[in-house]
Amino acid sequence: MARSSAHIAALIAASLAFACAASADELASYKIVGDGIPEPLTGSPGDAARGRALVLARTTTCILCHSGPFPETRFQGDLAPDLTGAGNRWTASQLRLRLVDASRFNPQTIMPSYYRADGLVRVGRNFAGKPILSAAEIEDIVAFLATLRD
Amino acid sequence: MIFWRAIAAATLFATAPALLAGEIPPDARRSGYAFMGPDTRAMQDDDTTNPGMLFVLDGEALWGKKTGSANKACADCHGDARSSMKGVAAHYPAFDKASGRPVTLDQRVNLCRANHQQATPLPYESRDLLALSAFVAHQSRGVAITAADDPELKPFIEQGRDLFMQREGQLNLACTNCHDDNFDKRLAGAPITQGQPTGYPLYRLEWQTLGSLERRLRSCMSGVRAQAYDYGSPELVALELYLMSRARGLPMETPAVRP
């Protein structure tokens, strides 16, 4: 019992340390205008080729749920709309807000907020206090999605 | 005929716990078995190819082996498991009067070791504990799940349901988001099932070994990048209990095989 509460205390301390670091310097501030974030989170536009590779990487989690124009992989999800044509349906500003916090479009959405580090429950030790993606990764993905035009 | 059906329906309504929005009605419940391909089904169905049966055989040997400072075997108290253990696993986790809490089959095995065999507890996921639980649960193969009917379990089932509905982890997803709302869909190409607990402990091809329901739940938690609860924690036991209540009526399959 004593051992496990010491353990829990250590855990809480560790996650608090992470949380402070993150809110202090990991998350760039951004401004929502209408239904989007018009300015890049990093101050400069991303790289679409890197964005494509990121969307396909398992660790970014996009194709766990989505499919898209990715003939090279069979492992695509169908819990979410196909990303083909996303660049026709949405502006870069809307895509950026969707990635940062999809719950702005649909409060019940299952799509994770990729640029958020608070208000979450029991985040794993290795992930606590960090957003799922960095600002630069989000910009690369936004740049790629904007190229998805039919 | 119609008369009997009316009575059956009435008793069903009277005893079945009320379903909340989004929960799967009894006639729509399907085991993970129903989502598998023909090869994996064939492996589960044939005892000579089902790798879980090796653990069941180990469990049978342990059942008859004297152990602990009491020098007693499970069989010394319970006799032939084929009759004494039939249907037992189908109503676990069960309420334990001594502790005032539900205990899992794994925990019951260790309580018997401590209290009746005066033996040390077997660690979670150890081969011997999995083998004993598989052997006991195997005696319920084909028996409909009846867990969770004890009124004293009610608050624990509710705790489990709350945990099932609670979003968690960096990906901010709840069990219900996948296993109530999205079964039959595909996560990165792999089918999502209803997350039914019918086959545990079971052989997972991905694990290359037998594993407990708690191991499975912990991997779903890590999957959403949440801090998984410890083995045997009240939260995992409550989730197990809720899953068994949610699977009421489905037949037990231990040892199942899953991809």
Side-chain angles (χ1 to χ4, degrees):
Chain A
M1 201 53 216
R3 219 180 98 230
S4 81
S5 39
H7 186 67
I8 291 167
L11 241 176
I12 293 172
S15 44
L16 282 181
F18 271 123
C20 299
S23 41
D25 41 56
E26 271 191 42
L27 287 194
S29 61
Y30 53 82
K31 197 156 160 246
I32 298 174
V33 180
D35 62 355
I37 301 175
E39 294 303 321
L41 301 173
T42 51
S44 58
D47 177 286
R50 270 204 309 262
R52 187 178 194 282
L54 281 171
V55 167
L56 280 170
R58 280 281 192 113
T59 47
T60 55
T61 70
C62 307
I63 63 164
L64 288 183
C65 294
H66 288 278
S67 56
F70 313 120
E72 67 270 47
T73 177
R74 292 181 295 126
F75 304 109
Q76 308 185 26
D78 65 359
L79 271 63
D82 192 292
L83 293 174
T84 306
N88 290 331
R89 292 187 292 276
W90 308 97
T91 63
S93 166
Q94 289 169 323
L95 289 169
R96 190 175 288 112
L97 179 55
R98 163 99 48 190
L99 287 181
V100 165
D101 188 2
S103 70
R104 299 263 177 183
F105 293 85
N106 167 14
Q108 262 77 55
T109 189
I110 54 168
M111 177 158 157
S113 299
Y114 283 88
Y115 203 62
R116 165 176 157 188
D118 54 5
L120 299 169
V121 175
R122 282 187 76 79
V123 176
R125 220 167 306 174
N126 300 332
F127 303 100
K130 298 175 202 162
I132 306 171
L133 297 175
S134 70
E137 287 170 326
I138 296 217
E139 288 311 320
D140 291 343
I141 293 174
V142 168
F144 168 63
L145 294 175
T147 67
L148 294 179
R149 300 176 156 271
D150 307 316
Chain B
M1 199 52 206
I2 290 174
F3 176 69
W4 278 111
R5 245 189 256 153
I7 291 184
T11 38
L12 248 183
F13 277 117
T15 54
L19 290 179
L20 300 186
E23 294 189 320
I24 304 168
D27 57 358
R29 292 175 189 171
R30 274 183 293 147
S31 150
Y33 180 88
F35 296 75
M36 310 198 299
D39 294 351
T40 327
R41 287 189 189 194
M43 191 187 276
Q44 171 170 328
D45 291 341
D46 180 354
D47 281 351
T48 63
T49 58
N50 182 335
M53 286 307 291
L54 293 174
F55 290 78
V56 171
L57 290 177
D58 282 358
E60 183 167 22
L62 290 170
W63 180 264
K65 192 177 149 207
K66 295 190 188 299
T67 186
S69 36
N71 199 35
K72 275 193 194 144
C74 314
D76 291 335
C77 292
H78 297 289
D80 185 353
R82 264 160 264 272
S83 48
S84 70
M85 291 294 126
K86 191 176 167 68
V88 167
H91 80 94
Y92 264 76
F95 190 74
D96 174 53
K97 288 230 156 51
S99 59
R101 310 192 44 82
V103 295
T104 63
L105 195 55
D106 282 352
Q107 289 173 325
R108 172 59 66 205
V109 168
N110 273 333
L111 283 170
C112 279
R113 282 178 67 86
N115 300 336
H116 307 301
Q117 297 179 303
Q118 273 127 52
T120 50
L122 297 168
Y124 287 105
E125 302 308 294
S126 63
R127 190 172 172 104
D128 284 1
L129 186 56
L130 289 170
L132 275 167
S133 286
F135 174 67
V136 171
H138 182 59
Q139 312 310 319
S140 297
R141 185 153 75 168
V143 173
I145 290 176
T146 54
D149 49 6
D150 187 336
E152 296 186 278
L153 290 172
K154 202 163 171 267
F156 302 97
I157 301 169
E158 268 158 25
Q159 182 194 6
R161 180 191 274 143
D162 289 346
L163 289 165
F164 195 83
M165 304 298 166
Q166 161 86 64
R167 290 190 183 229
E168 62 176 349
Q170 195 190 34
L171 303 188
N172 201 28
L173 290 167
C175 317
T176 186
N177 292 140
C178 287
H179 296 298
D180 285 332
D181 301 342
N182 282 298
F183 64 82
D184 275 335
K185 297 225 176 104
R186 291 178 161 264
L187 192 69
I192 300 178
T193 73
Q194 297 178 347
Q196 300 289 5
T198 45
Y200 289 85
L202 59 67
Y203 192 92
R204 245 192 126 75
L205 300 173
E206 186 198 321
W207 295 337
Q208 299 274 297
T209 185
L210 208 74
S212 70
L213 179 55
E214 295 194 14
R215 176 168 181 188
R216 175 68 245 182
L217 303 190
R218 283 167 52 87
S219 55
C220 283
M221 290 171 187
S222 312
V224 298
R225 304 183 180 177
Q227 193 62 45
Y229 293 101
D230 289 338
Y231 281 105
S233 63
E235 290 86 355
L236 281 187
V237 177
L239 263 174
E240 249 182 85
L241 181 61
Y242 172 65
L243 286 172
M244 288 293 276
S245 74
R246 184 174 167 274
R248 200 184 170 80
L250 287 176
M252 292 286 293
E253 294 163 56
T254 311
V257 176
R258 294 288 181 269

